[in-house]
């Protein structure tokens, strides 16, 4: 059995002048080397070969279809459009790969890829026919067919189909996760709609900006200075709006502004954020 040397460490006691400390000690061990997984190696090699063949197929079909389309338009546009023919069925194969655990979802990209391949092969054959070289056109179309066939076989080897019960369980879990994800956007939309309705109501009723009045002089207010009354919030408020509202209501103490922001805007607001916003607003005014 083949082995390989592995460096490991362990804590060992080490004493100097009567004081013992635990230190790391390195040592080597021989561990068995697992046998080579030839199946995996062969599959990786075939996948790499399929990738190379696919790249060559794209180059050939782009050159062929691009030359065909260049008869009717400028060459850059013709060759750019020619790349679409192969990129469509290659993209469908990528989607089929992503759905390799769900055969029902993989069926649509597989069928679409076959149709896209047939159209690309027909375009390559048409290029040969237009140039009085039908045989070359047919052989060139076969290149795309062989590349697609090889990729189909490779994907079948990589696919891991699930049994019926496991597939139902996966579908149920996917549906629950998808529902929770969808509710994020739905709640955001509802919150936005409710905020717009509330803002419209406030604008129509004329309540906006009606903040409580505070004494202009110390004689009009209480004899002992107290923190101004907390203004009533109107509609959804951002952190910046809450700071402005507090300042306009006469609340100048940073701690009082912070408490007001947490009460009417964001219960999880950070003190440094409120302080920074307060400083920016005062500097701007």
């Amino acid at each position: 059995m083949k082995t390989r040397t592995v460096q490991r460490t362990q804590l060992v006691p080490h004493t100097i002048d009567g004081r013992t400390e635990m230190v790391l000690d390195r040592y080597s061990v021989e561990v068995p080397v697992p046998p080579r997984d030839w199946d995996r190696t062969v599959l990786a090699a075939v996948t790499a070969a399929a990738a190379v063949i696919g790249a060559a197929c794209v180059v050939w079909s782009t050159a062929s279809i691009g030359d065909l389309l260049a008869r009717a338009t400028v060459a850059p546009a013709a060759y750019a459009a020619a790349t679409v023919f192969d990129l469509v069925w290659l993209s469908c194969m990528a989607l089929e790969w992503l759905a390799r655990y769900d055969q029902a979802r993989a069926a649509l990209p597989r069928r679409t890829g076959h149709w896209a391949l047939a159209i690309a092969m027909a375009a390559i054959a048409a290029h040969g026919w237009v140039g009085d070289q039908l045989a070359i056109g047919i052989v060139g179309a076969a290149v795309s067919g062989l590349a697609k066939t090889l990729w189909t076989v490779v994907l079948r080897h990589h696919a891991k189909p699930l049994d019926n019960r496991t597939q139902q369980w996966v579908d149920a879990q996917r549906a629950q996760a998808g529902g929770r994800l969808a509710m994020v956007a739905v709640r955001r939309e509802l919150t936005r709609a409710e905020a717009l309705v509330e803002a419209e109501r406030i604008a129509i009723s004329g309540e906006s900006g009606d903040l409580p009045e505070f004494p202009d002089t110390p004689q009009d207010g209480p004899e002992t200075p107290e923190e101004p009354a907390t203004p009533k919030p109107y509609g959804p408020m951002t952190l910046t709006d809450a700071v402005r509202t507090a300042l306009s209501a006469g609340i100048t103490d940073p701690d009082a502004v912070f408490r007001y922001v947490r009460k009417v805007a964001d219960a999880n607001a950070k003190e440094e954020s409120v302080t920074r916003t307060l400083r920016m607003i005062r500097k701007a005014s």
Side-chain angles (χ1 to χ4, degrees), residues 125-206:
H127 174 255
W129 179 73
V130 170
D132 294 329
Q133 295 177 333
L134 182 58
I136 295 179
I138 294 175
V139 172
V143 173
S144 295
L146 291 174
K148 171 64 175 175
T149 301
L150 178 59
W151 267 112
T152 300
V153 174
V154 171
L155 290 178
R156 289 292 179 90
H157 276 276
H158 282 285
K160 301 295 185 292
L162 306 177
D163 61 87
N164 184 42
R165 292 188 175 183
T166 304
Q167 186 63 60
Q168 293 182 43
W169 184 91
V170 171
D171 292 341
Q173 294 295 313
R174 184 182 289 122
Q176 294 178 16
R180 292 195 297 269
L181 182 61
M183 287 306 299
V184 173
V186 172
R187 292 192 184 98
R188 186 183 298 117
E189 180 182 357
L190 293 176
T191 302
R192 188 184 304 112
E194 291 173 357
L196 291 174
V197 171
E198 181 65 16
E200 183 73 13
R201 185 192 66 79
I202 294 174
I204 294 175
S205 62

Side-chain angles (χ1 to χ4, degrees), residues 10-15 19-25:
Q10 63 179 353
L11 287 173
V12 296
H14 186 65
T15 304
R19 301 188 63 178
T20 302
E21 298 288 347
M22 301 298 292
V23 298
L24 289 176
D25 180 44

